[in-house]
Amino acid sequence: MRTIFFSSILAMLLFSCAGKTVPSTINPQAFNKLIDGKKVMIYTLKNQKGMEITVTNWGGRIVSWLVPDKRGIMEDVVLGYDSINGYLNAKENYFGAAIGRYGNRIANGEFSIGDIKYKLAQNNGINSLHGGINGFSGKMWEVVQNDIGELSLKLVSPDMDEGYPGELSVSMIYRLTNDNELVIQYEAKCDKPTIINLTNHSYFNLHGAGNGSVLDHLLTLNANFITPTDSTLVPTGEIRAVDNSPFDFRKPTIIGSRINSEDQQIRFGRGYDINYVLNKNPDQNVSLAASVFEPESGRLLEVFTDQPGIQFYTGNFLDGKYPGKKGKTYGYRTGFCLETQHYPNSPNQPKFPSVQLDPDQVYSHTCIYKFSVKS
Ligand code: GLA
């Protein structure tokens, strides 16, 4: 009798893991808080394949993302916290966040439009990073759940918000398809000439968040050039070929295989923290930028975008100081980011593709994170 009892428990446990969605570990009650007078909420996206993504309106952040492995076992593959206080207490880490008004760095926190000079908060050494002290990652977005697979998120950034000119109206669509793709569609308009560079800052670990390093993942990155930086991680304006360097990921390459090389750009970033100039097909608007494969789980992440650049970052500032979901810690290089973007510091580099948005233009940016499994 006892054997039958235990074998049925085991069967239920196995069934609950393989293929069927393991209920997300995110408890909406743990996000019960008012920020800027608005209630922090958790929203859940689901599809017919059992994939599940939870999102909070604070910073438009992706909080959890359940993805099957080759055995159908679901794991949460994005770093984050299982309470709003976890996010608020941690040193800023942008986990899962919508980033703006300008993602990545602007040298010395200053730029000009025409002959008007603007001054931003220098919140990352001498530079401005990720939209300033209270960038879009810390704002309360207006969220509408359109259906079980789609959210609309809106934000109005007032004139001179964090030093940026013009009232900017931003809308994002997070759409989870039945092909296990999260399609992020950004649009924005402004009533004055401004600059803009939005992105998403999810940190991925295809073993599962908190399950060790990402250095054993295989990366393929569709780019022949990088924009090398100075020691403060601001691009110098040079466009440098990746040939014969630790930055060449045109063929599938283990992320950790050259990460401790003496290369100056590796040393500046304490690993990979660099913008790539993506190879583009003239007839393709949205094209494959990068793919990451983790052999043990068989999980494959592909990233598609219409943007000219992508920041590849290997979590070199993570220090495991703040326990994440399920009490797991996120130490050095335990998450990687692939942030589709314009190049950092573009407002100060006239040779880089322009990031200026004029009142008669619409900013548009598509990023697709697509998961599948490969044996
Ligand atoms: C981006 C930058 C990194 C780091 C992270 C956030 O990925 O490129 O240098 O600032 O954001 O910590």
Coordinates of all heavy atoms in Angstrom, one line a residue, residues 17 50 123 126 128 158 168 188 222 231 279 303 326 339 357-358:
C17 N 6.2 18.6 -13.2 CA 7.4 19.3 -13.8 C 7.4 19.2 -15.3 O 7.7 20.2 -16.0 CB 8.7 18.7 -13.2 SG 8.9 19.1 -11.5
G50 N 2.6 26.4 -22.4 CA 2.9 26.3 -20.9 C 3.9 27.4 -20.5 O 4.3 27.4 -19.3
N123 N 25.1 59.6 -12.9 CA 24.8 58.5 -11.9 C 25.6 57.2 -12.1 O 25.3 56.2 -11.4 CB 23.3 58.2 -12.0 CG 22.9 57.6 -13.4 OD1 23.4 58.1 -14.4 ND2 22.1 56.6 -13.4
I126 N 31.4 59.4 -14.0 CA 31.3 60.8 -14.6 C 30.1 60.7 -15.7 O 29.8 61.8 -16.2 CB 32.6 61.3 -15.3 CG1 33.0 60.2 -16.3 CG2 33.6 61.5 -14.3 CD1 34.1 60.7 -17.2
S128 N 26.3 59.5 -17.5 CA 24.9 59.2 -17.1 C 24.5 57.8 -17.7 O 24.9 57.5 -18.8 CB 24.0 60.3 -17.8 OG 22.6 60.0 -17.4
P158 N 7.6 63.6 -18.6 CA 7.4 65.0 -18.8 C 8.7 65.7 -19.3 O 9.8 65.2 -19.3 CB 7.1 65.6 -17.4 CG 7.4 64.5 -16.4 CD 7.5 63.2 -17.2
L168 N 7.6 63.1 -23.6 CA 7.7 61.9 -24.4 C 6.6 60.9 -24.0 O 6.5 60.6 -22.8 CB 9.1 61.3 -24.1 CG 9.4 60.0 -24.9 CD1 9.9 60.4 -26.4 CD2 10.5 59.2 -24.3
A188 N 7.3 55.7 -29.5 CA 7.3 56.9 -28.7 C 7.2 58.1 -29.6 O 7.7 58.1 -30.8 CB 8.6 57.0 -27.9
N222 N 25.7 38.0 -34.4 CA 25.8 38.3 -35.8 C 26.3 39.7 -36.0 O 25.6 40.6 -36.4 CB 24.4 38.1 -36.4 CG 24.3 38.4 -37.9 OD1 25.4 38.3 -38.5 ND2 23.2 38.7 -38.4
S231 N 37.9 53.8 -20.6 CA 37.9 53.0 -19.3 C 36.6 53.2 -18.5 O 36.3 52.4 -17.6 CB 39.1 53.4 -18.5 OG 38.9 54.8 -18.1
N279 N 25.2 43.0 -38.0 CA 25.1 42.8 -39.4 C 23.6 42.9 -39.9 O 22.8 42.2 -39.2 CB 25.7 41.5 -39.8 CG 27.2 41.4 -39.5 OD1 27.8 42.4 -39.3 ND2 27.6 40.1 -39.3
V303 N 17.6 36.1 -30.3 CA 17.2 37.5 -30.2 C 17.2 38.2 -31.6 O 18.2 38.1 -32.3 CB 18.2 38.3 -29.3 CG1 17.7 39.7 -29.0 CG2 18.5 37.6 -28.0
K326 N 13.6 32.7 -4.6 CA 13.8 31.5 -3.9 C 15.1 31.5 -3.1 O 15.8 30.5 -2.8 CB 13.9 30.3 -4.9 CG 12.7 30.0 -5.7 CD 12.9 28.8 -6.6 CE 11.9 28.7 -7.7 NZ 12.2 27.7 -8.7
E339 N 20.9 43.4 -24.8 CA 20.1 44.6 -24.8 C 20.0 45.2 -26.2 O 21.1 45.8 -26.7 CB 20.5 45.6 -23.8 CG 20.7 45.1 -22.4 CD 21.7 45.8 -21.6 OE1 21.6 47.0 -21.4 OE2 22.7 45.2 -21.2
L357 N 14.9 62.3 -31.9 CA 13.5 62.1 -32.2 C 12.9 63.5 -32.3 O 12.9 64.2 -31.3 CB 12.8 61.3 -31.2 CG 11.3 61.1 -31.4 CD1 11.1 60.1 -32.6 CD2 10.7 60.4 -30.1
D358 N 12.4 63.8 -33.5 CA 11.7 65.1 -33.7 C 10.2 65.0 -33.6 O 9.7 63.9 -33.8 CB 12.2 65.7 -35.1 CG 13.7 66.1 -35.1 OD1 14.1 66.6 -34.0 OD2 14.3 65.9 -36.1

